[in-house]
Amino acid sequence: MVIHMEDMEATIETLYRQLHALKNDPDKLPILIFPEGTFINNTSVMQFKKGSFEVGGTIYPVAIKYDARFGNAFWNSSRYSMMQHMYLKMTSWAIVCDVWYLPPMTRNEGESAIDFASRVKAAIARQGGLVDLM
C-alpha cells in the first residue's frame, strides 16, 4: 500500500477539526482510532502510527485480547485464503475477547508524538499481557 503525503496531511487536518469540534460540543461522540494499523496474531502490540498522537487531546486507551477457544480472529494468510477465513469466522461458535478500558492519557509537556504513542502502546501491552514490539 502506498500512502501519499497529501493523504496523511488530509487525515491529520480532519483529526484536528474533529478534536476541535469535540472540545466545543460535549454531545459529540469521540473518535475511534486503531493506531496499530493492522491486526497480528494476538500475542503482541506492533508499533503505533504517530499521526493519531500528534493532534493532542486526551487518549482513552483500550486493550483488546482475543480468546481463541471458540475461534481465532487472526487471519493467517499463508494458511487460509480470504474465503476460508471468512467461512471459519461465520461458522465459529463465537469470537470472544477481553476488553480493558485504561485510564485516560495525555501527552506530557515536551513529549514527542512518537514517545507518547510508545507510552500508550506499552500500557496497552502490559494490561493485555502482550509483547510490546518496537
Side-chain angles (χ1 to χ4, degrees):
M1 171 192 279
V2 176
I3 299 175
H4 298 282
M5 184 57 89
E6 57 269 8
D7 294 337
M8 289 190 332
E9 290 169 356
T11 300
I12 289 172
E13 177 61 32
T14 299
L15 285 173
Y16 274 117
R17 279 197 316 273
Q18 292 297 324
L19 182 62
H20 182 71
L22 283 169
K23 287 180 181 178
N24 293 330
D25 185 354
D27 293 330
K28 290 226 181 263
L29 295 174
I31 303 166
L32 178 62
I33 299 171
F34 294 91
E36 196 173 25
T38 188
F39 173 70
I40 61 172
N41 63 5
N42 203 38
T43 60
S44 22
V45 182
M46 292 179 62
Q47 182 173 350
F48 284 179
K49 310 289 189 252
K50 70 175 183 162
S52 306
F53 298 88
E54 289 181 326
V55 297
T58 302
I59 301 289
Y60 297 88
V62 177
I64 302 171
K65 186 171 185 181
Y66 289 91
D67 183 337
R69 286 181 289 180
F70 301 109
N72 192 350
F74 174 68
W75 173 33
N76 182 345
S77 60
S78 64
R79 186 169 178 195
Y80 300 110
S81 71
M82 174 60 94
M83 293 304 292
Q84 288 171 311
H85 174 70
M86 294 306 295
Y87 176 77
L88 290 171
K89 296 298 121 280
M90 301 297 267
T91 59
S92 68
W93 177 253
I95 296 188
V96 178
C97 63
D98 292 311
V99 179
W100 295 275
Y101 298 93
L102 283 66
M105 300 175 79
T106 55
R107 192 167 161 182
N108 295 327
E109 177 111 12
E111 185 176 36
S112 72
I114 293 171
D115 290 339
F116 183 33
S118 294
R119 185 165 54 92
V120 172
K121 179 175 65 80
I124 290 170
R126 197 171 34 256
Q127 178 64 56
L130 304 165
V131 176
D132 183 3
L133 297 176
M134 297 311 282

